[in-house]
Amino acid sequence: MSRSLGQRPVTGSDEDPRVAGLRTAVSRLRRELAAYPAEFPDRAVAEDELAALAAMTTHGSPEIPRLRGSLLLIASALGSVSALTRPLSEVRTAVELFGSPQPRP
């Protein structure tokens, strides 16, 4: 049985696969940040925004401007932590799958 473009695969759930992917990426970054031993000035900012992203993935489709704002804060907070580059990149990729926010009239 073939699928048309734009249809979601049958998984027993109507969940948007982009949301599931974002949830997975955020969870991984949160785990790796928790395991990162060194303290740095903006760690709390990153932890708070990751918690906000995780919450957004439990309530349907997240708002794109809010996703991008959280990503910007997280990237700013973790940008100099090379050990977290890969999981941060995965979160960025997951956010980008939601596309660009619609311009305001």
Side-chain angles (χ1 to χ4, degrees), residues 26-60:
V26 167
S27 178
R28 177 174 181 214
L29 181 53
R30 289 178 86 182
R31 282 192 315 272
E32 294 205 22
L33 177 58
Y36 188 73
E39 285 300 318
F40 50 93
D42 292 329
R43 185 181 192 123
V45 171
E47 290 169 342
D48 289 348
E49 287 303 315
L50 284 166
L53 278 179
M56 283 185 241
T57 65
T58 64
H59 297 79

Side-chain angles (χ1 to χ4, degrees), residues 84-103:
L84 300 174
T85 299
R86 184 170 178 201
L88 176 59
S89 178
E90 291 173 5
V91 171
R92 180 185 53 82
T93 299
V95 168
E96 287 176 351
L97 291 176
F98 286 87
S100 299
Q102 297 299 317

